[in-house]
Amino acid sequence: MGIYEELKARGLIAQVTDEERIKDLVNNGKAVFYIGFDPTADSLHVGHFMALCLMKRLQEAGNKPIALIGGGTAMIGDPSGRTDMRQMMTPETIQHNCECFKKQMSRFIDFSDGKALMVNNADWLMDLNYIEVLREVGAHFSVNRMLAAECYKQRMEKGLSFLEFNYMIMQSYDFYALFQKYGCNMQFGGDDQWSNMLGGTELIRRKLGEDAGAMTITLLLNSEGKKMGKTQSGAVWLDPEKTSPFDFYQYWRNVADADVLKCIRMLTFLPLEEIDKMDAWEGAQLNTAKEILAYELTKLVHGGEEAEKAQAAAKALFSQGAAADMPTAELSGEDFTDGSIDILNVLVKSGLVPSRAEARRAVQQGGVTADGEKVTDIKTAYGPEAFEGEGMIVKKGKKNFRKVVMK
């Protein structure tokens, strides 16, 4: 089985423009491909995870990845999948986020000895002349076709700024620039990028001729990655300072029964033969599958040692007194008012909930315990002594917990 056939078997391919050419390039290690990442935060999250795993798989098969950091397109903002305009970021913030991305990507992609490239589209987009763009690039785009694209249609009722309207042209120009500068012949992206990606292929054909265009391949990555990375309390980040290895493990440990085997197939590097045997698993076996998924992905992102610790801590959740490896939150004297802290603030300070409002709901719904005792009164308060020594184990629901201690 070639790498292209494996990608299909893992459920990673949704659409392609020229399957036979793609299959030949990918299976023979001739693909020079890019995936773009707009630096809208200072960390990648699990929504990017599928793309990073895909890049790793293709590189291991001899293909050359280009990680495109959108330092230029981030100045505009992608309207795809959004109901309103992104908050504008300063160039300094964008640059900081780009540096954070580089560090995280290096865990997945080998950038040594020219095996992969990391480029920033600010290097070419920021120097473009407006009139030149209108004449040399804009002339090749039909406004009617752009408005018919799904990424724009869903925003028309809410309002689409002229700034965002240019995003497709900028992304299309990226492929054109990468094709000329680095011989990039393939692009990957999610469903919502399809129109933008086709725009890039069409721009190359129009600018460089049909012969050159025949060399450009657009391949659409299955959009499951877009559905990942969100919980009720926010994104699940790859940065351990923003999402601890334990919380990352727990996120995958808690996936729905219907999704666990799909995630194992798409995201882990376990052999397909081994995964196929899991297809018949049900009941308690699905919990084992979830543990396999959580361990494998935590190891991939945070390393084997952190994965072992996270797995041990998760098992400790179901064992009395086994709290050594539990994720810990610290309280200081400033967290106490008149010598006490109420349960709502304990939940917020521990990171189990993002706000007092959500903490209130959790208590009122009977989902909070402190050292094994259910907390039903939102006014329940504790003194510093409750968090000294071994600290207090606070749980929200059955699977989310913290050991809360005094500094």
Side-chain angles (χ1 to χ4, degrees):
M1 179 186 294
I3 183 62
Y4 181 77
E5 288 76 16
E6 181 179 346
L7 295 180
K8 291 191 73 173
R10 289 183 179 274
L12 290 167
I13 306 300
Q15 294 185 64
V16 298
T17 55
D18 189 332
E19 187 166 48
E20 290 306 312
R21 291 296 304 276
I22 291 170
K23 187 186 302 183
D24 175 65
L25 288 170
V26 169
N27 285 345
N28 291 292
K30 298 177 181 177
V32 180
F33 68 96
Y34 95 90
I35 298 181
F37 302 82
D38 274 354
T40 54
D42 59 1
S43 171
L44 296 163
H45 56 69
V46 300
H48 299 114
F49 196 51
M50 185 183 296
L52 294 170
C53 291
L54 178 71
M55 296 176 87
K56 181 178 174 68
R57 291 185 206 279
L58 287 169
Q59 185 179 48
E60 290 179 350
N63 298 287
K64 185 174 182 176
I66 299 177
L68 176 66
I69 307 298
T73 42
M75 298 290 288
I76 296 175
D78 186 357
S80 301
R82 297 186 61 84
T83 58
D84 54 10
M85 185 173 164
R86 289 187 188 276
Q87 182 178 354
M88 299 286 282
M89 296 188 297
T90 66
E92 292 76 18
T93 298
I94 292 172
Q95 182 58 36
H96 171 72
N97 293 350
C98 288
E99 293 300 322
C100 294
F101 276 24
K102 289 180 183 179
K103 181 178 179 181
Q104 292 176 342
M105 286 180 179
S106 296
R107 290 194 62 90
F108 296 84
I109 306 166
D110 181 3
F111 291 99
S112 66
D113 303 321
K115 296 174 186 174
L117 297 175
M118 182 175 291
V119 297
N120 189 328
N121 63 15
D123 292 344
W124 54 82
L125 293 180
M126 298 296 284
D127 292 332
L128 290 176
N129 176 278
Y130 184 62
I131 299 298
E132 181 182 357
V133 171
L134 291 178
R135 290 176 59 88
E136 301 298 324
V137 181
H140 299 295
F141 286 80
S142 162
V143 171
N144 290 349
R145 289 178 60 186
M146 291 174 72
L147 290 176
E150 193 61 37
C151 60
Y152 289 142
K153 276 172 37 178
Q154 61 187 4
R155 283 291 304 279
M156 293 303 291
E157 290 186 10
K158 291 278 187 178
L160 177 69
S161 70
F162 181 71
L163 176 74
E164 295 171 296
F165 187 64
N166 283 270
Y167 190 89
M168 180 186 293
I169 295 176
M170 295 294 97
Q171 182 172 335
S172 298
Y173 190 87
D174 283 342
F175 194 17
Y176 172 71
L178 291 170
F179 180 83
Q180 289 192 297
K181 289 175 178 287
Y182 307 109
C184 180
N185 55 21
M186 191 178 298
Q187 53 182 331
F188 289 73
D191 291 24
D192 59 348
Q193 299 296 309
W194 184 240
S195 297
N196 296 345
M197 295 163 70
L198 290 179
T201 302
E202 184 67 18
L203 178 61
I204 292 173
R205 289 174 178 166
R206 288 176 175 270
K207 293 283 289 180
L208 303 178
E210 287 296 325
D211 290 341
M215 298 284 292
T216 68
I217 307 295
T218 302
L219 178 133
L220 180 65
L221 179 65
N222 189 295
S223 65
E224 291 295 325
K226 295 290 184 177
K227 302 175 185 177
M228 300 174 184
K230 295 292 184 180
T231 66
Q232 289 184 346
S233 57
V236 177
W237 304 100
L238 304 191
D239 183 346
E241 297 298 319
K242 297 169 76 71
T243 297
S244 71
F246 173 80
D247 286 334
F248 186 85
Y249 179 98
Q250 282 293 90
Y251 172 78
W252 297 109
R253 175 62 182 81
N254 295 334
V255 299
D257 289 355
D259 294 333
V260 59
L261 292 179
K262 178 170 64 177
C263 288
I264 289 177
R265 195 176 300 276
M266 298 174 91
L267 299 175
T268 76
F269 285 76
L270 296 175
L272 280 170
E273 297 79 8
E274 183 178 337
I275 300 171
D276 288 340
K277 295 176 182 177
M278 301 179 189
D279 283 340
W281 287 11
E282 56 185 18
Q285 289 177 306
L286 291 179
N287 288 328
T288 300
K290 293 178 184 180
E291 291 175 356
I292 292 171
L293 172 68
Y295 178 82
E296 290 294 326
L297 299 191
T298 305
K299 180 174 68 173
L300 187 61
V301 175
H302 298 295
E305 182 178 350
E306 290 296 337
E308 293 285 351
K309 289 168 61 177
Q311 187 172 66
K315 292 180 177 179
L317 175 61
F318 302 100
S319 303
Q320 291 294 327
D325 291 319
M326 289 186 182
T328 301
E330 294 183 337
L331 298 179
S332 66
E334 296 177 354
D335 295 318
F336 293 80
T337 301
D338 296 331
S340 67
I341 182 172
D342 64 26
I343 187 62
L344 303 187
N345 275 340
V346 171
L347 290 167
V348 173
K349 295 291 183 181
S350 69
L352 288 171
V353 297
S355 66
R356 282 179 61 87
E358 188 166 330
R360 179 187 299 269
R361 283 194 294 273
V363 171
Q364 291 174 338
Q365 292 169 1
V368 175
T369 63
D371 280 342
E373 296 290 329
K374 180 176 287 190
V375 181
T376 58
D377 186 354
I378 61 173
K379 296 181 180 180
T380 301
Y382 308 92
E385 66 280 358
F387 306 96
E388 294 173 349
E390 292 297 318
M392 173 189 290
I393 298 175
V394 182
K395 295 182 184 178
K396 173 181 171 286
K398 295 181 179 179
K399 300 176 182 178
N400 300 301
F401 66 99
R402 292 288 190 281
K403 181 167 67 173
V404 185
V405 301
M406 290 295 296
K407 284 185 179 178

